Amino acid sequence: MIKELVHNPLMLMIKSKDACADDMQTAKDLSETLEHHKKECVGMAANMIGVPKRIIVFYMNNKIETMFNPVILSAQQPYETQESCLSLLGNPRPVTRYQIIKVLYQDKHMKTHEKRFSGFTAQIIQHEIDHCNGVLI
């Protein structure tokens, strides 16, 4: 189900709790909401739809990927960029990101993975993990 977006910074700054198998509907709602906003958004975290759980979705190779409980294990090659956020009003804001990251996460079957990401996909994942941690750009 497509959900309303949260725009209240105080709500978005609450650190998300770990997700579990009972949160599959939230992941589905999050994916459908991202699909609905695909013209202006490339990734979302569950707190953006009012659910403070560590779930992110993002586009990779034109397909929506889902991560439960993602954690960045390592980051290399910092760079400065500017980002906008669908939940926050205003102009793009400066932020430091990393070109290459290694992420520990669980998939939809709650199987644990450790994977490297680079480039724009890594940037999206970092932005969404920031949301899970209550960090706003």
Side-chain angles (χ1 to χ4, degrees):
M1 174 183 288
I2 297 167
K3 298 291 189 172
E4 293 270 335
L5 297 177
V6 172
H7 297 287
N8 181 339
L10 295 177
M11 295 297 295
L12 294 169
M13 289 171 41
I14 296 171
K15 190 172 179 178
S16 297
K17 296 180 181 181
D18 285 347
C20 64
D22 293 339
D23 295 311
M24 291 301 154
Q25 185 61 49
T26 296
K28 186 174 188 288
D29 292 344
L30 192 58
S31 292
E32 290 175 6
T33 304
L34 176 60
E35 176 70 22
H36 178 75
H37 291 283
K38 68 182 173 186
K39 290 183 181 177
E40 65 267 4
C41 187
V42 293
M44 298 183 83
N47 66 348
M48 293 174 68
I49 61 169
V51 181
K53 293 289 186 122
R54 295 187 63 81
I55 305 169
I56 68 170
V57 295
F58 57 94
Y59 280 101
M60 187 170 75
N61 301 323
N62 295 317
K63 181 181 170 212
I64 294 177
E65 299 291 331
T66 303
M67 290 182 175
F68 290 83
N69 305 312
V71 176
I72 296 173
L73 298 176
S74 65
Q76 301 170 0
Q77 301 175 14
Y79 65 96
E80 301 299 318
T81 189
Q82 292 198 13
E83 295 178 352
S84 295
C85 182
L86 199 58
S87 285
L88 299 175
L89 303 175
N91 296 323
R93 295 162 178 91
V95 64
T96 301
R97 294 291 181 216
Y98 295 86
Q99 185 65 31
I100 300 167
I101 60 173
K102 186 186 330 180
V103 181
L104 180 70
Y105 67 96
Q106 294 170 304
D107 64 20
K108 292 179 182 181
H109 306 287
M110 303 313 286
K111 182 179 175 187
T112 300
H113 300 271
E114 188 175 298
K115 186 173 178 182
R116 287 189 187 281
F117 296 90
S118 63
F120 189 55
T121 300
Q123 183 177 341
I124 298 166
I125 292 168
Q126 290 168 80
H127 180 104
E128 303 314 330
I129 289 176
D130 277 355
H131 270 294
C132 292
N133 294 331
V135 175
L136 302 180
I137 58 167

